[in-house]
PDB file of all heavy atoms in Angstrom:
ATOM      1  N   ASN A   1       2.283 -11.527   4.305  1.00  0.00           N
ATOM      2  CA  ASN A   1       1.923 -12.728   5.065  1.00  0.00           C
ATOM      3  C   ASN A   1       2.927 -13.034   6.173  1.00  0.00           C
ATOM      4  O   ASN A   1       3.036 -14.173   6.626  1.00  0.00           O
ATOM      5  CB  ASN A   1       1.778 -13.921   4.111  1.00  0.00           C
ATOM      6  CG  ASN A   1       0.542 -13.823   3.243  1.00  0.00           C
ATOM      7  OD1 ASN A   1      -0.541 -14.253   3.618  1.00  0.00           O
ATOM      8  ND2 ASN A   1       0.697 -13.232   2.065  1.00  0.00           N
ATOM      9  N   SER A   2       3.661 -11.998   6.577  1.00  0.00           N
ATOM     10  CA  SER A   2       4.530 -12.065   7.762  1.00  0.00           C
ATOM     11  C   SER A   2       5.630 -13.111   7.673  1.00  0.00           C
ATOM     12  O   SER A   2       6.020 -13.699   8.678  1.00  0.00           O
ATOM     13  CB  SER A   2       3.690 -12.318   9.022  1.00  0.00           C
ATOM     14  OG  SER A   2       2.689 -11.334   9.164  1.00  0.00           O
ATOM     15  N   THR A   3       6.127 -13.375   6.460  1.00  0.00           N
ATOM     16  CA  THR A   3       7.258 -14.298   6.318  1.00  0.00           C
ATOM     17  C   THR A   3       8.473 -13.592   5.732  1.00  0.00           C
ATOM     18  O   THR A   3       9.436 -14.245   5.347  1.00  0.00           O
ATOM     19  CB  THR A   3       6.888 -15.502   5.424  1.00  0.00           C
ATOM     20  OG1 THR A   3       6.418 -15.031   4.149  1.00  0.00           O
ATOM     21  CG2 THR A   3       5.816 -16.354   6.081  1.00  0.00           C
ATOM     22  N   ALA A   4       8.422 -12.283   5.661  1.00  0.00           N
ATOM     23  CA  ALA A   4       9.545 -11.483   5.163  1.00  0.00           C
ATOM     24  C   ALA A   4      10.135 -10.680   6.315  1.00  0.00           C
ATOM     25  O   ALA A   4       9.504 -10.518   7.364  1.00  0.00           O
ATOM     26  CB  ALA A   4       9.070 -10.550   4.044  1.00  0.00           C
ATOM     27  N   PRO A   5      11.348 -10.156   6.151  1.00  0.00           N
ATOM     28  CA  PRO A   5      11.948  -9.343   7.222  1.00  0.00           C
ATOM     29  C   PRO A   5      11.108  -8.112   7.540  1.00  0.00           C
ATOM     30  O   PRO A   5      10.468  -7.532   6.649  1.00  0.00           O
ATOM     31  CB  PRO A   5      13.304  -8.937   6.634  1.00  0.00           C
ATOM     32  CG  PRO A   5      13.588  -9.935   5.562  1.00  0.00           C
ATOM     33  CD  PRO A   5      12.264 -10.340   5.014  1.00  0.00           C
ATOM     34  N   ASP A   6      11.118  -7.709   8.790  1.00  0.00           N
ATOM     35  CA  ASP A   6      10.369  -6.518   9.199  1.00  0.00           C
ATOM     36  C   ASP A   6      10.813  -5.278   8.439  1.00  0.00           C
ATOM     37  O   ASP A   6      10.009  -4.392   8.146  1.00  0.00           O
ATOM     38  CB  ASP A   6      10.538  -6.277  10.703  1.00  0.00           C
ATOM     39  CG  ASP A   6       9.835  -7.329  11.538  1.00  0.00           C
ATOM     40  OD1 ASP A   6       8.960  -8.022  10.987  1.00  0.00           O
ATOM     41  OD2 ASP A   6      10.166  -7.470  12.732  1.00  0.00           O
ATOM     42  N   TYR A   7      12.125  -5.206   8.120  1.00  0.00           N
ATOM     43  CA  TYR A   7      12.612  -3.994   7.456  1.00  0.00           C
ATOM     44  C   TYR A   7      12.077  -3.846   6.033  1.00  0.00           C
ATOM     45  O   TYR A   7      12.101  -2.750   5.480  1.00  0.00           O
ATOM     46  CB  TYR A   7      14.148  -3.928   7.475  1.00  0.00           C
ATOM     47  CG  TYR A   7      14.878  -5.135   6.892  1.00  0.00           C
ATOM     48  CD1 TYR A   7      14.955  -5.351   5.519  1.00  0.00           C
ATOM     49  CD2 TYR A   7      15.527  -6.035   7.729  1.00  0.00           C
ATOM     50  CE1 TYR A   7      15.633  -6.433   4.994  1.00  0.00           C
ATOM     51  CE2 TYR A   7      16.219  -7.117   7.209  1.00  0.00           C
ATOM     52  CZ  TYR A   7      16.271  -7.316   5.848  1.00  0.00           C
ATOM     53  OH  TYR A   7      16.959  -8.393   5.320  1.00  0.00           O
ATOM     54  N   LEU A   8      11.576  -4.922   5.432  1.00  0.00           N
ATOM     55  CA  LEU A   8      10.885  -4.802   4.144  1.00  0.00           C
ATOM     56  C   LEU A   8       9.391  -4.618   4.340  1.00  0.00           C
ATOM     57  O   LEU A   8       8.751  -3.809   3.655  1.00  0.00           O
ATOM     58  CB  LEU A   8      11.142  -6.040   3.274  1.00  0.00           C
ATOM     59  CG  LEU A   8      12.523  -6.204   2.638  1.00  0.00           C
ATOM     60  CD1 LEU A   8      12.529  -7.399   1.686  1.00  0.00           C
ATOM     61  CD2 LEU A   8      12.955  -4.950   1.895  1.00  0.00           C
ATOM     62  N   THR A   9       8.825  -5.370   5.288  1.00  0.00           N
ATOM     63  CA  THR A   9       7.382  -5.297   5.516  1.00  0.00           C
ATOM     64  C   THR A   9       6.933  -3.878   5.854  1.00  0.00           C
ATOM     65  O   THR A   9       5.883  -3.416   5.397  1.00  0.00           O
ATOM     66  CB  THR A   9       6.987  -6.257   6.656  1.00  0.00           C
ATOM     67  OG1 THR A   9       7.385  -7.594   6.302  1.00  0.00           O
ATOM     68  CG2 THR A   9       5.497  -6.230   6.906  1.00  0.00           C
ATOM     69  N   GLU A  10       7.738  -3.164   6.645  1.00  0.00           N
ATOM     70  CA  GLU A  10       7.354  -1.816   7.060  1.00  0.00           C
ATOM     71  C   GLU A  10       7.408  -0.798   5.923  1.00  0.00           C
ATOM     72  O   GLU A  10       6.931   0.326   6.076  1.00  0.00           O
ATOM     73  CB  GLU A  10       8.249  -1.358   8.209  1.00  0.00           C
ATOM     74  CG  GLU A  10       9.695  -1.155   7.834  1.00  0.00           C
ATOM     75  CD  GLU A  10      10.601  -0.930   9.028  1.00  0.00           C
ATOM     76  OE1 GLU A  10      10.182  -1.211  10.175  1.00  0.00           O
ATOM     77  OE2 GLU A  10      11.745  -0.480   8.817  1.00  0.00           O
ATOM     78  N   LEU A  11       7.935  -1.201   4.760  1.00  0.00           N
ATOM     79  CA  LEU A  11       7.969  -0.303   3.602  1.00  0.00           C
ATOM     80  C   LEU A  11       6.653  -0.332   2.819  1.00  0.00           C
ATOM     81  O   LEU A  11       6.438   0.501   1.935  1.00  0.00           O
ATOM     82  CB  LEU A  11       9.116  -0.688   2.660  1.00  0.00           C
ATOM     83  CG  LEU A  11      10.532  -0.592   3.232  1.00  0.00           C
ATOM     84  CD1 LEU A  11      11.558  -1.076   2.201  1.00  0.00           C
ATOM     85  CD2 LEU A  11      10.852   0.843   3.656  1.00  0.00           C
ATOM     86  N   LEU A  12       5.758  -1.278   3.133  1.00  0.00           N
ATOM     87  CA  LEU A  12       4.509  -1.440   2.400  1.00  0.00           C
ATOM     88  C   LEU A  12       3.320  -1.093   3.291  1.00  0.00           C
ATOM     89  O   LEU A  12       3.335  -1.358   4.490  1.00  0.00           O
ATOM     90  CB  LEU A  12       4.365  -2.881   1.895  1.00  0.00           C
ATOM     91  CG  LEU A  12       5.534  -3.428   1.062  1.00  0.00           C
ATOM     92  CD1 LEU A  12       5.247  -4.874   0.657  1.00  0.00           C
ATOM     93  CD2 LEU A  12       5.788  -2.573  -0.175  1.00  0.00           C
ATOM     94  N   ARG A  13       2.285  -0.501   2.673  1.00  0.00           N
ATOM     95  CA  ARG A  13       1.070  -0.144   3.417  1.00  0.00           C
ATOM     96  C   ARG A  13      -0.156  -0.546   2.614  1.00  0.00           C
ATOM     97  O   ARG A  13      -0.227  -0.311   1.405  1.00  0.00           O
ATOM     98  CB  ARG A  13       1.010   1.360   3.707  1.00  0.00           C
ATOM     99  CG  ARG A  13       1.978   1.826   4.792  1.00  0.00           C
ATOM    100  CD  ARG A  13       1.686   3.258   5.230  1.00  0.00           C
ATOM    101  NE  ARG A  13       1.691   4.200   4.129  1.00  0.00           N
ATOM    102  CZ  ARG A  13       0.640   4.863   3.689  1.00  0.00           C
ATOM    103  NH1 ARG A  13      -0.560   4.681   4.254  1.00  0.00           N
ATOM    104  NH2 ARG A  13       0.746   5.725   2.691  1.00  0.00           N
ATOM    105  N   ILE A  14      -1.125  -1.170   3.303  1.00  0.00           N
ATOM    106  CA  ILE A  14      -2.398  -1.516   2.661  1.00  0.00           C
ATOM    107  C   ILE A  14      -3.179  -0.230   2.380  1.00  0.00           C
ATOM    108  O   ILE A  14      -3.251   0.662   3.225  1.00  0.00           O
ATOM    109  CB  ILE A  14      -3.234  -2.447   3.571  1.00  0.00           C
ATOM    110  CG1 ILE A  14      -2.475  -3.761   3.827  1.00  0.00           C
ATOM    111  CG2 ILE A  14      -4.599  -2.715   2.969  1.00  0.00           C
ATOM    112  CD1 ILE A  14      -2.392  -4.661   2.631  1.00  0.00           C
ATOM    113  N   TYR A  15      -3.749  -0.155   1.184  1.00  0.00           N
ATOM    114  CA  TYR A  15      -4.555   1.024   0.824  1.00  0.00           C
ATOM    115  C   TYR A  15      -5.908   0.970   1.530  1.00  0.00           C
ATOM    116  O   TYR A  15      -6.615  -0.034   1.480  1.00  0.00           O
ATOM    117  CB  TYR A  15      -4.766   1.075  -0.692  1.00  0.00           C
ATOM    118  CG  TYR A  15      -5.713   2.168  -1.122  1.00  0.00           C
ATOM    119  CD1 TYR A  15      -5.342   3.499  -1.049  1.00  0.00           C
ATOM    120  CD2 TYR A  15      -6.994   1.854  -1.585  1.00  0.00           C
ATOM    121  CE1 TYR A  15      -6.209   4.506  -1.431  1.00  0.00           C
ATOM    122  CE2 TYR A  15      -7.866   2.847  -1.976  1.00  0.00           C
ATOM    123  CZ  TYR A  15      -7.471   4.178  -1.894  1.00  0.00           C
ATOM    124  OH  TYR A  15      -8.336   5.175  -2.274  1.00  0.00           O
ATOM    125  N   LYS A  16      -6.234   2.055   2.217  1.00  0.00           N
ATOM    126  CA  LYS A  16      -7.526   2.170   2.892  1.00  0.00           C
ATOM    127  C   LYS A  16      -8.223   3.432   2.385  1.00  0.00           C
ATOM    128  O   LYS A  16      -7.790   4.545   2.680  1.00  0.00           O
ATOM    129  CB  LYS A  16      -7.342   2.246   4.405  1.00  0.00           C
ATOM    130  CG  LYS A  16      -6.759   0.982   5.011  1.00  0.00           C
ATOM    131  CD  LYS A  16      -6.578   1.106   6.515  1.00  0.00           C
ATOM    132  CE  LYS A  16      -5.982  -0.173   7.092  1.00  0.00           C
ATOM    133  NZ  LYS A  16      -5.740  -0.070   8.551  1.00  0.00           N
ATOM    134  N   PRO A  17      -9.288   3.256   1.590  1.00  0.00           N
ATOM    135  CA  PRO A  17      -9.976   4.439   1.042  1.00  0.00           C
ATOM    136  C   PRO A  17     -10.570   5.299   2.151  1.00  0.00           C
ATOM    137  O   PRO A  17     -10.999   4.785   3.197  1.00  0.00           O
ATOM    138  CB  PRO A  17     -11.063   3.836   0.151  1.00  0.00           C
ATOM    139  CG  PRO A  17     -11.248   2.439   0.635  1.00  0.00           C
ATOM    140  CD  PRO A  17      -9.930   2.002   1.185  1.00  0.00           C
ATOM    141  N   THR A  18     -10.580   6.592   1.935  1.00  0.00           N
ATOM    142  CA  THR A  18     -11.128   7.504   2.938  1.00  0.00           C
ATOM    143  C   THR A  18     -12.619   7.276   3.111  1.00  0.00           C
ATOM    144  O   THR A  18     -13.174   7.459   4.189  1.00  0.00           O
ATOM    145  CB  THR A  18     -10.873   8.961   2.520  1.00  0.00           C
ATOM    146  OG1 THR A  18     -11.346   9.148   1.181  1.00  0.00           O
ATOM    147  CG2 THR A  18      -9.389   9.268   2.579  1.00  0.00           C
ATOM    148  N   ARG A  19     -13.288   6.860   2.005  1.00  0.00           N
ATOM    149  CA  ARG A  19     -14.710   6.545   2.075  1.00  0.00           C
ATOM    150  C   ARG A  19     -14.918   5.101   1.722  1.00  0.00           C
ATOM    151  O   ARG A  19     -14.503   4.673   0.665  1.00  0.00           O
ATOM    152  CB  ARG A  19     -15.458   7.418   1.072  1.00  0.00           C
ATOM    153  CG  ARG A  19     -16.630   8.131   1.682  1.00  0.00           C
ATOM    154  CD  ARG A  19     -17.277   9.024   0.682  1.00  0.00           C
ATOM    155  NE  ARG A  19     -18.519   8.436   0.242  1.00  0.00           N
ATOM    156  CZ  ARG A  19     -19.097   8.686  -0.919  1.00  0.00           C
ATOM    157  NH1 ARG A  19     -18.527   9.477  -1.769  1.00  0.00           N
ATOM    158  NH2 ARG A  19     -20.229   8.145  -1.221  1.00  0.00           N
ATOM    159  N   GLN A  20     -15.480   4.311   2.614  1.00  0.00           N
ATOM    160  CA  GLN A  20     -15.669   2.894   2.351  1.00  0.00           C
ATOM    161  C   GLN A  20     -16.819   2.711   1.372  1.00  0.00           C
ATOM    162  O   GLN A  20     -17.971   3.032   1.667  1.00  0.00           O
ATOM    163  CB  GLN A  20     -15.979   2.148   3.656  1.00  0.00           C
ATOM    164  CG  GLN A  20     -15.973   0.631   3.516  1.00  0.00           C
ATOM    165  CD  GLN A  20     -14.597   0.107   3.126  1.00  0.00           C
ATOM    166  OE1 GLN A  20     -13.600   0.579   3.630  1.00  0.00           O
ATOM    167  NE2 GLN A  20     -14.558  -0.860   2.229  1.00  0.00           N
ATOM    168  N   LEU A  21     -16.484   2.216   0.176  1.00  0.00           N
ATOM    169  CA  LEU A  21     -17.505   1.982  -0.845  1.00  0.00           C
ATOM    170  C   LEU A  21     -18.101   0.590  -0.649  1.00  0.00           C
ATOM    171  O   LEU A  21     -17.395  -0.375  -0.354  1.00  0.00           O
ATOM    172  CB  LEU A  21     -16.897   2.102  -2.249  1.00  0.00           C
ATOM    173  CG  LEU A  21     -16.247   3.468  -2.561  1.00  0.00           C
ATOM    174  CD1 LEU A  21     -15.637   3.438  -3.950  1.00  0.00           C
ATOM    175  CD2 LEU A  21     -17.275   4.580  -2.461  1.00  0.00           C
ATOM    176  N   ARG A  22     -19.411   0.491  -0.857  1.00  0.00           N
ATOM    177  CA  ARG A  22     -20.094  -0.785  -0.630  1.00  0.00           C
ATOM    178  C   ARG A  22     -19.569  -1.860  -1.566  1.00  0.00           C
ATOM    179  O   ARG A  22     -19.431  -3.018  -1.201  1.00  0.00           O
ATOM    180  CB  ARG A  22     -21.599  -0.601  -0.837  1.00  0.00           C
ATOM    181  CG  ARG A  22     -22.416  -1.837  -0.512  1.00  0.00           C
ATOM    182  CD  ARG A  22     -23.894  -1.576  -0.686  1.00  0.00           C
ATOM    183  NE  ARG A  22     -24.350  -0.474   0.160  1.00  0.00           N
ATOM    184  CZ  ARG A  22     -25.571   0.046   0.091  1.00  0.00           C
ATOM    185  NH1 ARG A  22     -26.438  -0.422  -0.788  1.00  0.00           N
ATOM    186  NH2 ARG A  22     -25.920   1.039   0.877  1.00  0.00           N
ATOM    187  N   SER A  23     -19.227  -1.465  -2.809  1.00  0.00           N
ATOM    188  CA  SER A  23     -18.796  -2.449  -3.803  1.00  0.00           C
ATOM    189  C   SER A  23     -17.325  -2.815  -3.670  1.00  0.00           C
ATOM    190  O   SER A  23     -16.835  -3.708  -4.327  1.00  0.00           O
ATOM    191  CB  SER A  23     -19.046  -1.910  -5.217  1.00  0.00           C
ATOM    192  OG  SER A  23     -18.318  -0.702  -5.400  1.00  0.00           O
ATOM    193  N   SER A  24     -16.595  -2.083  -2.825  1.00  0.00           N
ATOM    194  CA  SER A  24     -15.157  -2.325  -2.715  1.00  0.00           C
ATOM    195  C   SER A  24     -14.869  -3.203  -1.510  1.00  0.00           C
ATOM    196  O   SER A  24     -14.959  -2.769  -0.379  1.00  0.00           O
ATOM    197  CB  SER A  24     -14.405  -0.990  -2.588  1.00  0.00           C
ATOM    198  OG  SER A  24     -13.050  -1.236  -2.380  1.00  0.00           O
ATOM    199  N   SER A  25     -14.520  -4.475  -1.791  1.00  0.00           N
ATOM    200  CA  SER A  25     -14.164  -5.392  -0.713  1.00  0.00           C
ATOM    201  C   SER A  25     -12.713  -5.852  -0.842  1.00  0.00           C
ATOM    202  O   SER A  25     -12.279  -6.755  -0.150  1.00  0.00           O
ATOM    203  CB  SER A  25     -15.089  -6.622  -0.741  1.00  0.00           C
ATOM    204  OG  SER A  25     -14.994  -7.283  -1.985  1.00  0.00           O
ATOM    205  N   ASP A  26     -11.959  -5.231  -1.752  1.00  0.00           N
ATOM    206  CA  ASP A  26     -10.575  -5.612  -2.011  1.00  0.00           C
ATOM    207  C   ASP A  26      -9.659  -4.935  -0.997  1.00  0.00           C
ATOM    208  O   ASP A  26      -9.468  -3.722  -1.031  1.00  0.00           O
ATOM    209  CB  ASP A  26     -10.188  -5.213  -3.435  1.00  0.00           C
ATOM    210  CG  ASP A  26      -8.821  -5.772  -3.829  1.00  0.00           C
ATOM    211  OD1 ASP A  26      -8.149  -6.355  -2.963  1.00  0.00           O
ATOM    212  OD2 ASP A  26      -8.453  -5.628  -5.010  1.00  0.00           O
ATOM    213  N   THR A  27      -9.107  -5.735  -0.082  1.00  0.00           N
ATOM    214  CA  THR A  27      -8.206  -5.187   0.946  1.00  0.00           C
ATOM    215  C   THR A  27      -6.754  -5.559   0.663  1.00  0.00           C
ATOM    216  O   THR A  27      -5.908  -5.489   1.550  1.00  0.00           O
ATOM    217  CB  THR A  27      -8.596  -5.718   2.329  1.00  0.00           C
ATOM    218  OG1 THR A  27      -8.521  -7.149   2.308  1.00  0.00           O
ATOM    219  CG2 THR A  27      -9.986  -5.266   2.716  1.00  0.00           C
ATOM    220  N   SER A  28      -6.476  -5.977  -0.591  1.00  0.00           N
ATOM    221  CA  SER A  28      -5.113  -6.397  -0.915  1.00  0.00           C
ATOM    222  C   SER A  28      -4.385  -5.381  -1.792  1.00  0.00           C
ATOM    223  O   SER A  28      -3.289  -5.649  -2.275  1.00  0.00           O
ATOM    224  CB  SER A  28      -5.127  -7.764  -1.612  1.00  0.00           C
ATOM    225  OG  SER A  28      -5.863  -7.683  -2.828  1.00  0.00           O
ATOM    226  N   ILE A  29      -4.987  -4.215  -2.016  1.00  0.00           N
ATOM    227  CA  ILE A  29      -4.325  -3.168  -2.789  1.00  0.00           C
ATOM    228  C   ILE A  29      -3.335  -2.434  -1.888  1.00  0.00           C
ATOM    229  O   ILE A  29      -3.631  -2.137  -0.724  1.00  0.00           O
ATOM    230  CB  ILE A  29      -5.364  -2.172  -3.357  1.00  0.00           C
ATOM    231  CG1 ILE A  29      -6.262  -2.873  -4.379  1.00  0.00           C
ATOM    232  CG2 ILE A  29      -4.680  -0.967  -3.978  1.00  0.00           C
ATOM    233  CD1 ILE A  29      -5.569  -3.216  -5.673  1.00  0.00           C
ATOM    234  N   LEU A  30      -2.157  -2.133  -2.417  1.00  0.00           N
ATOM    235  CA  LEU A  30      -1.131  -1.442  -1.650  1.00  0.00           C
ATOM    236  C   LEU A  30      -1.014   0.019  -2.072  1.00  0.00           C
ATOM    237  O   LEU A  30      -1.258   0.361  -3.235  1.00  0.00           O
ATOM    238  CB  LEU A  30       0.232  -2.129  -1.845  1.00  0.00           C
ATOM    239  CG  LEU A  30       0.360  -3.547  -1.299  1.00  0.00           C
ATOM    240  CD1 LEU A  30       1.710  -4.142  -1.671  1.00  0.00           C
ATOM    241  CD2 LEU A  30       0.176  -3.563   0.207  1.00  0.00           C
ATOM    242  N   CYS A  31      -0.644   0.856  -1.135  1.00  0.00           N
ATOM    243  CA  CYS A  31      -0.396   2.266  -1.432  1.00  0.00           C
ATOM    244  C   CYS A  31       0.898   2.403  -2.222  1.00  0.00           C
ATOM    245  O   CYS A  31       1.902   1.762  -1.901  1.00  0.00           O
ATOM    246  CB  CYS A  31      -0.274   3.084  -0.146  1.00  0.00           C
ATOM    247  SG  CYS A  31      -1.780   3.163   0.824  1.00  0.00           S
ATOM    248  N   ILE A  32       0.862   3.253  -3.232  1.00  0.00           N
ATOM    249  CA  ILE A  32       2.068   3.554  -4.007  1.00  0.00           C
ATOM    250  C   ILE A  32       2.551   4.940  -3.590  1.00  0.00           C
ATOM    251  O   ILE A  32       1.841   5.926  -3.773  1.00  0.00           O
ATOM    252  CB  ILE A  32       1.790   3.513  -5.523  1.00  0.00           C
ATOM    253  CG1 ILE A  32       1.318   2.111  -5.929  1.00  0.00           C
ATOM    254  CG2 ILE A  32       3.048   3.899  -6.305  1.00  0.00           C
ATOM    255  CD1 ILE A  32       0.960   1.971  -7.390  1.00  0.00           C
ATOM    256  N   PRO A  33       3.737   5.039  -2.987  1.00  0.00           N
ATOM    257  CA  PRO A  33       4.199   6.329  -2.482  1.00  0.00           C
ATOM    258  C   PRO A  33       4.528   7.300  -3.615  1.00  0.00           C
ATOM    259  O   PRO A  33       4.757   6.896  -4.763  1.00  0.00           O
ATOM    260  CB  PRO A  33       5.462   5.966  -1.692  1.00  0.00           C
ATOM    261  CG  PRO A  33       5.946   4.710  -2.335  1.00  0.00           C
ATOM    262  CD  PRO A  33       4.714   3.960  -2.768  1.00  0.00           C
ATOM    263  N   THR A  34       4.546   8.566  -3.283  1.00  0.00           N
ATOM    264  CA  THR A  34       4.903   9.594  -4.256  1.00  0.00           C
ATOM    265  C   THR A  34       6.420   9.749  -4.299  1.00  0.00           C
ATOM    266  O   THR A  34       7.070   9.906  -3.265  1.00  0.00           O
ATOM    267  CB  THR A  34       4.267  10.941  -3.871  1.00  0.00           C
ATOM    268  OG1 THR A  34       2.849  10.772  -3.801  1.00  0.00           O
ATOM    269  CG2 THR A  34       4.606  12.016  -4.887  1.00  0.00           C
ATOM    270  N   VAL A  35       6.974   9.675  -5.480  1.00  0.00           N
ATOM    271  CA  VAL A  35       8.415   9.887  -5.666  1.00  0.00           C
ATOM    272  C   VAL A  35       8.608  10.934  -6.754  1.00  0.00           C
ATOM    273  O   VAL A  35       7.688  11.262  -7.501  1.00  0.00           O
ATOM    274  CB  VAL A  35       9.144   8.581  -6.046  1.00  0.00           C
ATOM    275  CG1 VAL A  35       9.080   7.570  -4.919  1.00  0.00           C
ATOM    276  CG2 VAL A  35       8.555   7.975  -7.323  1.00  0.00           C
ATOM    277  N   ARG A  36       9.823  11.452  -6.860  1.00  0.00           N
ATOM    278  CA  ARG A  36      10.079  12.557  -7.785  1.00  0.00           C
ATOM    279  C   ARG A  36      10.589  12.091  -9.142  1.00  0.00           C
ATOM    280  O   ARG A  36      10.282  12.690 -10.161  1.00  0.00           O
ATOM    281  CB  ARG A  36      11.100  13.515  -7.157  1.00  0.00           C
ATOM    282  CG  ARG A  36      10.589  14.202  -5.899  1.00  0.00           C
ATOM    283  CD  ARG A  36      11.708  14.902  -5.162  1.00  0.00           C
ATOM    284  NE  ARG A  36      12.388  15.884  -6.011  1.00  0.00           N
ATOM    285  CZ  ARG A  36      13.507  16.508  -5.670  1.00  0.00           C
ATOM    286  NH1 ARG A  36      14.083  16.225  -4.509  1.00  0.00           N
ATOM    287  NH2 ARG A  36      14.054  17.383  -6.479  1.00  0.00           N
ATOM    288  N   THR A  37      11.415  11.031  -9.162  1.00  0.00           N
ATOM    289  CA  THR A  37      12.096  10.670 -10.407  1.00  0.00           C
ATOM    290  C   THR A  37      11.770   9.252 -10.841  1.00  0.00           C
ATOM    291  O   THR A  37      11.635   8.342 -10.023  1.00  0.00           O
ATOM    292  CB  THR A  37      13.627  10.797 -10.235  1.00  0.00           C
ATOM    293  OG1 THR A  37      14.053   9.954  -9.166  1.00  0.00           O
ATOM    294  CG2 THR A  37      14.019  12.243  -9.931  1.00  0.00           C
ATOM    295  N   HIS A  38      11.698   9.089 -12.149  1.00  0.00           N
ATOM    296  CA  HIS A  38      11.414   7.776 -12.732  1.00  0.00           C
ATOM    297  C   HIS A  38      12.628   6.868 -12.602  1.00  0.00           C
ATOM    298  O   HIS A  38      12.506   5.674 -12.305  1.00  0.00           O
ATOM    299  CB  HIS A  38      11.039   7.945 -14.208  1.00  0.00           C
ATOM    300  CG  HIS A  38      10.909   6.650 -14.952  1.00  0.00           C
ATOM    301  ND1 HIS A  38       9.789   5.852 -14.861  1.00  0.00           N
ATOM    302  CD2 HIS A  38      11.765   5.998 -15.781  1.00  0.00           C
ATOM    303  CE1 HIS A  38       9.957   4.770 -15.615  1.00  0.00           C
ATOM    304  NE2 HIS A  38      11.148   4.834 -16.175  1.00  0.00           N
ATOM    305  N   SER A  39      13.831   7.397 -12.831  1.00  0.00           N
ATOM    306  CA  SER A  39      15.037   6.577 -12.885  1.00  0.00           C
ATOM    307  C   SER A  39      15.598   6.242 -11.511  1.00  0.00           C
ATOM    308  O   SER A  39      16.486   5.405 -11.389  1.00  0.00           O
ATOM    309  CB  SER A  39      16.124   7.287 -13.708  1.00  0.00           C
ATOM    310  OG  SER A  39      16.454   8.531 -13.117  1.00  0.00           O
ATOM    311  N   LEU A  40      15.078   6.896 -10.448  1.00  0.00           N
ATOM    312  CA  LEU A  40      15.591   6.641  -9.103  1.00  0.00           C
ATOM    313  C   LEU A  40      14.478   6.191  -8.164  1.00  0.00           C
ATOM    314  O   LEU A  40      14.427   5.036  -7.756  1.00  0.00           O
ATOM    315  CB  LEU A  40      16.280   7.903  -8.558  1.00  0.00           C
ATOM    316  CG  LEU A  40      17.533   8.361  -9.315  1.00  0.00           C
ATOM    317  CD1 LEU A  40      17.968   9.745  -8.855  1.00  0.00           C
ATOM    318  CD2 LEU A  40      18.666   7.360  -9.142  1.00  0.00           C
TER     319      LEU A  40
END
């Protein structure tokens, strides 16, 4: 909602499905990046 620093906001991305499903109107899901380790 644009009240946080830009350096944090740019770390998050809204999830956009490759195929727009008719039943999916939820635009508040965020992408979870791929990482290698659980502890880091």
Side-chain angles (χ1 to χ4, degrees):
N1 289 273
S2 304
T3 56
D6 291 342
Y7 55 75
L8 287 187
T9 302
E10 67 190 15
L11 298 177
L12 306 179
R13 286 191 304 114
I14 299 289
Y15 173 71
K16 295 179 180 178
T18 52
R19 231 177 106 205
Q20 189 63 41
L21 301 178
R22 185 178 302 173
S23 60
S24 175
S25 59
D26 188 354
T27 59
S28 61
I29 294 289
L30 294 175
C31 295
I32 299 178
T34 302
V35 295
R36 295 168 57 189
T37 58
H38 172 79
S39 60
L40 296 169

